[in-house]
Amino acid sequence: VAARLLATHPRFHLAFATSDRHVGEAVDSQLGVPVSQKLRFEPNDAAVQLASSCDVVFLATSAEVSVEIAPAVLAKGKHVIDFSGAFRLESAEDYTRWYRFEHPAAPLLGRAHYGLPEIFGPPKRAVAGGDPVLIANPGCYATAAILALAPLVRAGMVEPRGLVVDGKSGVTGAGRKATEDYAFNEIDEDLRAYKILQHQHTPEIARALGRVADGVKGLTFTPHLLPIRRGLLVTCYARPVAGVLPYDIENKLAEAYAGRAFVQVCPADRVRLHRVVGTNHARLGAASNGDMVVVVCAIDNLLKGAAGQAMQNLNLLYGYDEWLGLSELQRVAP
Amino acid sequence: VAARLLATHPRFHLAFATSDRHVGEAVDSQLGVPVSQKLRFEPNDAAVQLASSCDVVFLATSAEVSVEIAPAVLAKGKHVIDFSGAFRLESAEDYTRWYRFEHPAAPLLGRAHYGLPEIFGPPKRAVAGGDPVLIANPGCYATAAILALAPLVRAGMVEPRGLVVDGKSGVTGAGRKATEDYAFNEIDEDLRAYKILQHQHTPEIARALGRVADGVKGLTFTPHLLPIRRGLLVTCYARPVAGVLPYDIENKLAEAYAGRAFVQVCPADRVRLHRVVGTNHARLGAASNGDMVVVVCAIDNLLKGAAGQAMQNLNLLYGYDEWLGLSELQRVAP
Amino acid sequence: VAARLLATHPRFHLAFATSDRHVGEAVDSQLGVPVSQKLRFEPNDAAVQLASSCDVVFLATSAEVSVEIAPAVLAKGKHVIDFSGAFRLESAEDYTRWYRFEHPAAPLLGRAHYGLPEIFGPPKRAVAGGDPVLIANPGCYATAAILALAPLVRAGMVEPRGLVVDGKSGVTGAGRKATEDYAFNEIDEDLRAYKILQHQHTPEIARALGRVADGVKGLTFTPHLLPIRRGLLVTCYARPVAGVLPYDIENKLAEAYAGRAFVQVCPADRVRLHRVVGTNHARLGAASNGDMVVVVCAIDNLLKGAAGQAMQNLNLLYGYDEWLGLSELQRVAP
Amino acid sequence: VAARLLATHPRFHLAFATSDRHVGEAVDSQLGVPVSQKLRFEPNDAAVQLASSCDVVFLATSAEVSVEIAPAVLAKGKHVIDFSGAFRLESAEDYTRWYRFEHPAAPLLGRAHYGLPEIFGPPKRAVAGGDPVLIANPGCYATAAILALAPLVRAGMVEPRGLVVDGKSGVTGAGRKATEDYAFNEIDEDLRAYKILQHQHTPEIARALGRVADGVKGLTFTPHLLPIRRGLLVTCYARPVAGVLPYDIENKLAEAYAGRAFVQVCPADRVRLHRVVGTNHARLGAASNGDMVVVVCAIDNLLKGAAGQAMQNLNLLYGYDEWLGLSELQRVAP
């Protein structure tokens, strides 16, 4: 998806694409869109060398691979936008615990920009001659959960302790693995929770919220696998601080995203996958009473939850409008 | 479904069936199973009169209708098993708030037996000549949530305040209405929350848990509509009391349901709809850490969540094994 | 979909839109895309009057309504592109038999252009001052079936008698009716044939094929309703004329569509909905032996099967490239 | 499914079960039903030896494996019901062409009983001391197609040449392979034809029809993969012999299946998967005009299309009613 968006972007073009599986095949026939040059897929291990021919490298690799390639690409002075979790967490220990590998490039963790523009702003580019930028493109569940909760946590309207995020995602979120777990017969007409209390987006959400307010602790996240292909919805639970009214909550969310191209605030029961799938939009809404604030947020896990957000980050890195090459999406969304 | 289970039960038989829509049609052709007698559907308003011909009346009517029919049937000395929410809550005020009608038979609320046998035991039958029994058959979400939480709440292992129930159900839970909301094009590949903070199973769950322990307050329940036909899963969140270990939680659940025919305790990530749809089983499991206990529970919303549980209650009312006429279900489950 | 495509077309703009259901609502909020002017929906019966303000009127009305509106719009000198079957058949008798109404504008039948550009070319526009054009935009099943069969029938490679078209379509083909037939519970995990030997696309396909070769008789068409939202596939069966080889069949199809923007010929087992849904492409392929030629063709029923093809016709009517405003579709297809 | 049906059959019991994948695991926990004895799965290559302990061996193996095991089991004097295509075709050459292997037990082909009881009657058991019986349990598509066409072909009401069978099946028909082809993301919301003109049920259907009438030639069969789990529907096309009326066709089908437990004849547009999935029923209906007879037939591919039919054959082999252990299925069908 990212390659397709890039190949058809009005300001950028695709310089190369690697895929061990499709080495030598024409890129345009795989993508199904015209590509400016006659590109063919290169082997994955040529990525660092090929980086010389471009300005920015997108890494749609696993975290274990990204930690190896990203430093090498940065060393060549090229920007990196990484789709994996390799540079989203705070410390090497987080990786040992949640990703179960030793992070070989821990110093980069502090330098990476967490690319959720609506909350953390555009990536900061050094002046000419400065260091290249490393953008950690957020996880799909994390994007939806942070958009839902950050304005309220930042404003001190909800208790930062004991937040609950109940997530539901379509199967494209799980990658293209051909394992029996993702066989049609196993998924269709089923629902199950997975990685309960162990999903790696838990510390990612907690860290991001911890950057907007003190006291974020004990956050719980449970992902579920939906029998659909595309789309992700989170239902977030937070306890309101005494005196906060439903009206305050709704106003705060509306205010936080006023003027943003890709976040729509609406009544909570009008948040649904159909309105966002195929677009780069997040749609969110809240309902609350004295006991609980419930915020529901829906995104397309492959767009705002991955490739669309990466394009937003790329646009912002170069000072363009964030919606460049993305605004047509809703035109043709199913 | 209830009529089909009843028509083929080894000990009971179907005495009559009403349906304004199918008046005069043969019951067996509608049900697709042989019915002992040559029954035809009667009009709904004949129900009270027909009650004379049987021992127990099943009411699969809306709450507004059940509150009218149930007292009349009980007055004829016949037992009632009501599928609606008409007799599940505590007080007339609860009905004004959550069901938005004035309850005309409030005195029956105290007398109704809440028919979740694994938690509240079998319905108590008076000795010969005593009053007939009114069984309030539990709601589908409520059944799953109470099975998940009651043992832990009762044992004081989790905080009774601030419980969260995130529910997801297939579309059969919504009845057979032909509204645009339930059109295939609206549901397929979609997900949305509905009746947020306003679903009538909220007070039902809270009341049931409040009967097993003190201090249940501020329970939050959010239902979601899944793009599947059948099956319901709840993900429940409760804060552990200090010192309670994951091991304790798992043991307590295992112990609570040891020897029960219809509740299986398993690892939380092995709870899924495929294992329960088509059967009267609930399948549940817990995961926990120091911050949160997560209990996942799956049922078939039409069986353990409705008609299957009603048969369990009927069996118990007459002193039979609770699985009579239900144990074959898993044999042929998809 | 048509209004959305039109509103965002690089050369045309949306002059007005009518909808009795949404009268007074902003058009852009319904479409989810920006509309050049601040349009609001007008009542349907204002359509003829509003026609004065534009050059071409799209009719997405039922055949019974189109037969009334189209003549009035043409009388004002405006072009009409009609999505219904109102002007696709040959004679008034065809309408009595297949549409079950008396056609009040039979003389227009001979004048209408059947807008399947790959087979029947672009609509012919009169010189300045001449009559406005009436384009009968083809039916969805008919589009796929004619693309599959016309080149072979025209070339005399298959017997024109006894052709069989077995069609399968997603539910969006059936419109937005909120009837019980299209309820999620009725469609999901089901399949059924409908209007067997009685579907109105039967004479439409037969007539179109009859225009490319003599002897087309006894064509049979059976539509089926798939449990998906979007996409349509036809499997067509024709007996090869003696001496015609598989190689000839494949060559003829490749040759017929060489250079066409929207028809891709490929091996028959690589024709699938996923490759066309969200685009204006038809994808088709053939397999054959001495007894039978099987041609499979897939389209998006809402694009190549309706609104996309209408845009193709509009582009051609004004002498633009047929892909204008349509070529971006595959960029963002799911 | 077969093991589950067998384990709970009122007259038979499961003597052993083999599964290389589950060796040593308890059979009842895998099946989800109680099994009379404490069986554990044995390795597949123990099957022949274990055959000594029972009367009938079910082979749910591939054709290549069945051709090896079946002769060995028969040699021990035990009956065999084979689910594969290994003994359904006429000659060794058929296997070379359609199954692409050399058949090592060709003499058994003539001896095998093709187990479609409604068309070919019950398996004939030799008198005491005679040969054991080899039952070739029909393929799923073949079952539906033969039930749809055989009565009309046999009666000479349709032309035996040029029959067309357009089949559509859910994914369980494809076995449990974890290949990328059957991944959820590949199947959901898709449709495609496969093995066009090359599916091995083509000669199976042709042979069976050829046994009921002369002149069956040039039959074409196209299978399609539906985005559902369970259920199979065939749409069959045959040219009526001159003078045959729709009325004759319908009467012939009704007559052919009068009194049969598992075949229901109904109007063609009321044939749908929902009515048969979960049961051993075939449901079929015809529509016709002077050009074509269309017969639609739906079955559950795992029951009437496989395990259910095997139980029917087993019942008949032992002289029981064919519905024994199967009639409860529809009671609890979804």
Side-chain angles (χ1 to χ4, degrees):
Chain A
V1 179
R4 205 153 56 165
L5 290 176
L6 205 47
T8 57
H9 193 283
R11 289 291 148 76
F12 301 102
H13 75 273
L14 192 62
F16 67 90
T18 75
S19 166
D20 280 349
R21 190 169 164 190
H22 295 292
V23 171
E25 294 179 33
V27 172
D28 51 5
S29 73
Q30 267 299 314
L31 298 188
V33 296
V35 170
S36 43
Q37 304 149 261
K38 271 286 148 234
L39 291 181
R40 292 187 176 280
F41 284 104
E42 307 285 345
N44 287 339
D45 59 18
V48 175
Q49 192 191 326
L50 288 161
S52 310
S53 67
C54 70
D55 296 313
V56 184
V57 174
F58 277 49
L59 295 180
T61 40
S62 69
E64 286 90 335
V65 173
S66 286
V67 293
E68 303 291 345
I69 299 183
V73 172
L74 291 168
K76 294 191 134 189
K78 308 299 184 179
H79 305 301
V80 168
I81 300 182
D82 180 39
F83 285 51
S84 84
F87 302 100
R88 296 179 196 154
L89 303 187
E90 196 157 7
S91 68
E93 292 75 48
D94 288 335
Y95 285 89
T96 316
R97 174 166 174 209
W98 293 95
Y99 282 83
R100 308 213 171 269
F101 70 83
E102 297 296 313
H103 201 296
L108 284 176
L109 294 175
R111 173 177 156 194
H113 171 81
Y114 189 70
L116 188 48
E118 288 84 358
I119 306 299
F120 298 108
K124 276 165 221 93
R125 230 174 125 186
V127 289
D131 279 348
V133 176
L134 168 58
I135 297 176
N137 205 54
C140 51
Y141 284 118
T143 294
I146 299 165
L147 288 173
L149 291 171
L152 306 179
V153 170
R154 178 181 274 155
M157 287 180 165
V158 298
E159 299 289 350
R161 293 191 65 131
L163 298 166
V164 170
V165 176
D166 191 280
K168 300 94 174 166
S169 174
V171 179
T172 50
R176 291 204 158 217
K177 293 162 236 154
T179 69
E180 210 172 295
D181 273 8
Y182 300 107
F184 183 82
N185 288 336
E186 294 299 311
I187 302 282
D188 185 47
E189 300 281 311
D190 194 25
L191 181 77
R192 56 187 159 97
Y194 63 100
K195 288 194 182 181
I196 306 171
L197 298 178
Q198 296 177 350
H199 195 282
Q200 68 280 6
H201 288 185
T202 310
E204 181 179 338
I205 301 166
R207 184 199 184 192
L209 296 178
R211 285 176 58 198
V212 305
D214 290 334
V216 173
K217 280 200 63 179
L219 182 143
T220 299
F221 166 55
T222 313
H224 299 76
L225 192 61
L226 292 173
I228 65 173
R229 288 204 292 162
R230 208 161 157 173
L232 177 159
L233 185 145
V234 293
T235 311
C236 305
Y237 299 89
R239 277 163 297 159
V241 163
V244 170
L245 300 176
Y247 174 87
D248 301 322
I249 300 286
E250 288 156 34
N251 272 8
K252 177 53 68 185
L253 289 173
E255 176 198 311
Y257 297 115
R260 299 300 315 208
F262 291 125
V263 182
Q264 301 170 331
V265 179
C266 67
D269 57 3
R270 300 192 58 183
V271 175
R272 54 187 292 197
L273 300 186
H274 277 193
R275 291 297 296 265
V276 298
V277 168
T279 82
N280 195 50
H281 283 78
R283 201 170 160 88
L284 60 84
S288 56
N289 57 27
D291 296 309
M292 197 64 83
V293 179
V294 181
V295 192
V296 186
C297 179
I299 60 171
D300 184 321
N301 51 309
L302 297 182
L303 291 169
K304 184 64 179 167
Q309 186 143 269
M311 295 304 304
Q312 243 185 301
N313 281 315
L314 178 63
N315 284 329
L316 292 168
L317 182 66
Y318 281 85
Y320 296 127
D321 287 327
E322 62 183 344
W323 45 260
L324 210 65
L326 292 170
S327 56
E328 308 89 314
L329 285 168
Q330 67 264 40
R331 179 186 172 213
V332 289
Chain B
V1 180
R4 205 153 55 164
L5 290 176
L6 205 48
T8 57
H9 193 284
R11 290 292 149 76
F12 301 101
H13 73 274
L14 193 62
F16 67 89
T18 76
S19 166
D20 281 350
R21 191 169 164 192
H22 295 292
V23 171
E25 294 179 34
V27 172
D28 52 5
S29 73
Q30 267 298 315
L31 298 189
V33 296
V35 171
S36 44
Q37 305 149 263
K38 272 288 149 231
L39 291 180
R40 295 189 173 277
F41 285 104
E42 307 286 344
N44 286 339
D45 59 18
V48 175
Q49 192 191 326
L50 288 160
S52 310
S53 68
C54 70
D55 295 313
V56 184
V57 174
F58 277 48
L59 295 181
T61 41
S62 69
E64 287 90 335
V65 173
S66 287
V67 294
E68 304 291 345
I69 300 182
V73 172
L74 290 168
K76 294 192 134 188
K78 307 300 184 179
H79 305 300
V80 168
I81 300 182
D82 179 40
F83 285 51
S84 83
F87 302 100
R88 296 180 197 153
L89 303 187
E90 196 157 6
S91 68
E93 292 74 48
D94 289 334
Y95 284 89
T96 317
R97 173 165 175 212
W98 293 96
Y99 282 83
R100 308 212 170 273
F101 71 83
E102 297 294 315
H103 201 296
L108 284 176
L109 294 175
R111 172 177 156 193
H113 171 80
Y114 189 70
L116 188 49
E118 288 85 359
I119 306 298
F120 299 108
K124 276 167 221 91
R125 233 175 124 184
V127 289
D131 279 346
V133 176
L134 167 58
I135 297 176
N137 205 54
C140 51
Y141 284 118
T143 295
I146 299 164
L147 288 173
L149 291 170
L152 306 179
V153 170
R154 177 181 274 155
M157 287 181 166
V158 298
E159 298 289 350
R161 292 191 66 131
L163 298 166
V164 170
V165 176
D166 191 280
K168 300 93 174 166
S169 174
V171 179
T172 48
R176 291 203 158 218
K177 294 162 234 153
T179 70
E180 210 172 294
D181 273 7
Y182 299 107
F184 183 82
N185 288 336
E186 295 298 311
I187 302 281
D188 185 47
E189 301 281 312
D190 195 24
L191 181 78
R192 57 186 158 96
Y194 62 100
K195 288 195 180 179
I196 307 172
L197 298 177
Q198 296 176 350
H199 195 282
Q200 67 279 6
H201 288 185
T202 310
E204 182 179 338
I205 301 167
R207 183 198 184 193
L209 296 178
R211 285 175 58 198
V212 303
D214 290 334
V216 173
K217 278 202 62 177
L219 181 142
T220 300
F221 165 56
T222 313
H224 299 77
L225 191 61
L226 291 173
I228 63 173
R229 288 204 290 162
R230 206 160 159 174
L232 177 159
L233 185 144
V234 293
T235 310
C236 304
Y237 299 90
R239 277 165 296 161
V241 164
V244 170
L245 300 175
Y247 174 87
D248 301 323
I249 300 287
E250 287 155 36
N251 272 8
K252 176 53 66 185
L253 289 172
E255 176 197 312
Y257 298 115
R260 299 301 315 208
F262 291 125
V263 182
Q264 301 170 331
V265 180
C266 68
D269 57 4
R270 301 191 59 182
V271 175
R272 54 187 292 197
L273 300 186
H274 278 192
R275 293 295 298 265
V276 298
V277 168
T279 81
N280 195 50
H281 283 78
R283 201 170 160 87
L284 59 85
S288 57
N289 57 26
D291 296 310
M292 197 64 83
V293 178
V294 181
V295 192
V296 186
C297 179
I299 60 171
D300 183 320
N301 52 308
L302 297 181
L303 291 168
K304 184 62 181 168
Q309 187 145 268
M311 295 303 303
Q312 243 185 302
N313 282 313
L314 178 63
N315 284 329
L316 292 168
L317 182 66
Y318 281 86
Y320 296 128
D321 287 325
E322 63 182 343
W323 45 260
L324 209 66
L326 292 170
S327 55
E328 307 90 315
L329 286 167
Q330 67 263 42
R331 179 185 170 213
V332 290
Chain C
V1 179
R4 205 154 56 165
L5 289 176
L6 205 47
T8 57
H9 193 282
R11 289 292 149 76
F12 301 102
H13 74 274
L14 192 62
F16 67 89
T18 75
S19 166
D20 281 350
R21 190 169 165 191
H22 295 291
V23 171
E25 294 178 33
V27 172
D28 51 6
S29 73
Q30 267 298 313
L31 298 189
V33 296
V35 170
S36 44
Q37 304 150 263
K38 271 289 148 231
L39 292 181
R40 293 187 175 280
F41 284 104
E42 307 285 344
N44 287 338
D45 59 17
V48 175
Q49 193 191 327
L50 287 160
S52 309
S53 67
C54 70
D55 296 314
V56 185
V57 174
F58 277 48
L59 296 180
T61 40
S62 69
E64 286 90 335
V65 173
S66 287
V67 293
E68 303 292 344
I69 299 182
V73 172
L74 290 167
K76 294 190 135 192
K78 308 300 184 180
H79 305 300
V80 168
I81 299 182
D82 179 41
F83 285 50
S84 84
F87 302 100
R88 297 180 196 152
L89 302 187
E90 196 156 6
S91 67
E93 292 75 48
D94 289 333
Y95 285 89
T96 317
R97 174 167 174 209
W98 293 95
Y99 283 82
R100 308 214 171 269
F101 71 83
E102 296 296 314
H103 201 296
L108 284 176
L109 293 175
R111 173 178 155 192
H113 172 80
Y114 189 69
L116 187 49
E118 288 84 358
I119 305 299
F120 298 108
K124 277 165 220 93
R125 232 173 124 185
V127 288
D131 280 347
V133 176
L134 168 58
I135 298 175
N137 205 54
C140 51
Y141 285 118
T143 294
I146 299 164
L147 289 173
L149 290 170
L152 306 178
V153 170
R154 178 182 272 157
M157 287 180 165
V158 298
E159 299 289 349
R161 292 192 67 132
L163 297 166
V164 170
V165 176
D166 190 281
K168 300 92 175 168
S169 175
V171 178
T172 49
R176 290 204 160 218
K177 294 161 233 151
T179 69
E180 210 172 296
D181 273 8
Y182 299 107
F184 182 82
N185 288 335
E186 294 298 311
I187 302 280
D188 185 46
E189 301 281 310
D190 194 26
L191 181 77
R192 57 187 158 96
Y194 63 99
K195 288 194 180 181
I196 306 172
L197 298 177
Q198 296 177 350
H199 195 281
Q200 67 278 8
H201 288 185
T202 310
E204 182 179 338
I205 301 167
R207 184 197 184 194
L209 296 177
R211 285 175 58 198
V212 305
D214 289 334
V216 173
K217 279 200 63 178
L219 181 141
T220 300
F221 165 55
T222 314
H224 299 76
L225 192 60
L226 291 174
I228 64 173
R229 287 203 293 162
R230 207 160 158 175
L232 176 159
L233 184 145
V234 294
T235 310
C236 305
Y237 300 89
R239 277 165 296 160
V241 163
V244 170
L245 299 176
Y247 173 88
D248 302 323
I249 300 287
E250 287 155 35
N251 273 7
K252 178 53 67 185
L253 289 173
E255 177 198 309
Y257 298 115
R260 298 301 315 208
F262 292 125
V263 182
Q264 301 169 331
V265 179
C266 68
D269 56 4
R270 300 191 59 182
V271 175
R272 55 188 291 196
L273 299 186
H274 278 192
R275 292 297 296 265
V276 298
V277 168
T279 82
N280 195 50
H281 283 78
R283 200 170 160 88
L284 59 84
S288 57
N289 57 26
D291 296 310
M292 196 65 82
V293 179
V294 181
V295 193
V296 186
C297 178
I299 60 171
D300 183 321
N301 52 308
L302 297 182
L303 291 168
K304 184 62 179 168
Q309 186 144 270
M311 295 304 303
Q312 242 186 302
N313 282 314
L314 178 64
N315 284 330
L316 293 168
L317 182 66
Y318 280 86
Y320 296 127
D321 287 325
E322 62 182 342
W323 45 260
L324 210 65
L326 292 169
S327 56
E328 306 90 314
L329 285 168
Q330 66 264 41
R331 179 185 170 213
V332 290
Chain D
V1 179
R4 204 152 57 165
L5 290 177
L6 205 47
T8 57
H9 194 283
R11 289 291 149 77
F12 302 102
H13 74 275
L14 193 61
F16 67 90
T18 76
S19 165
D20 280 349
R21 190 169 165 191
H22 296 292
V23 171
E25 295 178 34
V27 171
D28 51 6
S29 73
Q30 266 299 314
L31 298 188
V33 295
V35 170
S36 44
Q37 304 149 263
K38 270 288 147 230
L39 291 181
R40 295 190 173 275
F41 284 105
E42 307 286 344
N44 286 338
D45 59 17
V48 175
Q49 193 191 325
L50 288 161
S52 310
S53 68
C54 69
D55 295 315
V56 185
V57 173
F58 278 49
L59 295 180
T61 41
S62 69
E64 287 91 334
V65 172
S66 286
V67 292
E68 303 291 344
I69 299 183
V73 172
L74 291 167
K76 294 190 134 189
K78 308 299 184 178
H79 306 301
V80 169
I81 300 183
D82 180 41
F83 285 51
S84 83
F87 302 100
R88 296 179 196 153
L89 302 187
E90 197 157 4
S91 68
E93 292 75 48
D94 288 333
Y95 285 89
T96 317
R97 173 167 176 209
W98 293 96
Y99 283 82
R100 308 212 172 272
F101 71 83
E102 297 296 315
H103 201 296
L108 284 176
L109 294 174
R111 175 178 156 193
H113 172 79
Y114 189 70
L116 188 49
E118 288 84 358
I119 306 298
F120 298 108
K124 276 164 219 91
R125 229 173 127 187
V127 287
D131 280 347
V133 176
L134 168 59
I135 297 176
N137 206 54
C140 52
Y141 285 118
T143 295
I146 299 163
L147 289 174
L149 291 170
L152 306 178
V153 170
R154 178 181 273 156
M157 288 180 164
V158 297
E159 298 289 349
R161 294 192 64 133
L163 297 166
V164 170
V165 176
D166 191 280
K168 300 94 175 165
S169 174
V171 179
T172 48
R176 291 203 158 218
K177 295 162 235 155
T179 69
E180 209 171 294
D181 274 8
Y182 299 107
F184 183 81
N185 288 336
E186 294 299 311
I187 302 281
D188 185 47
E189 300 282 310
D190 194 25
L191 181 78
R192 57 185 158 97
Y194 63 100
K195 288 195 181 178
I196 307 172
L197 299 177
Q198 296 176 351
H199 195 282
Q200 68 279 6
H201 288 185
T202 310
E204 182 179 338
I205 301 167
R207 183 199 184 192
L209 296 177
R211 285 175 58 198
V212 305
D214 289 334
V216 173
K217 278 201 62 178
L219 181 142
T220 300
F221 165 55
T222 313
H224 299 76
L225 192 60
L226 291 174
I228 65 173
R229 289 204 290 163
R230 206 161 158 174
L232 177 159
L233 184 144
V234 294
T235 311
C236 304
Y237 300 89
R239 277 164 297 161
V241 164
V244 169
L245 300 175
Y247 173 88
D248 301 322
I249 300 287
E250 289 155 34
N251 273 7
K252 177 53 67 184
L253 289 173
E255 176 198 311
Y257 298 114
R260 298 302 313 209
F262 292 124
V263 182
Q264 302 170 331
V265 179
C266 67
D269 57 3
R270 301 193 58 183
V271 175
R272 54 187 293 198
L273 299 187
H274 277 193
R275 293 296 296 266
V276 297
V277 168
T279 82
N280 194 51
H281 283 78
R283 201 170 160 88
L284 60 84
S288 57
N289 57 25
D291 296 310
M292 197 64 82
V293 178
V294 181
V295 191
V296 186
C297 178
I299 60 171
D300 184 320
N301 51 308
L302 297 182
L303 291 168
K304 184 63 180 168
Q309 187 143 267
M311 295 304 303
Q312 243 185 302
N313 282 314
L314 178 64
N315 284 329
L316 292 168
L317 181 65
Y318 280 86
Y320 297 128
D321 287 326
E322 62 182 343
W323 45 260
L324 209 66
L326 293 169
S327 56
E328 308 89 315
L329 285 167
Q330 66 263 40
R331 178 184 171 213
V332 289

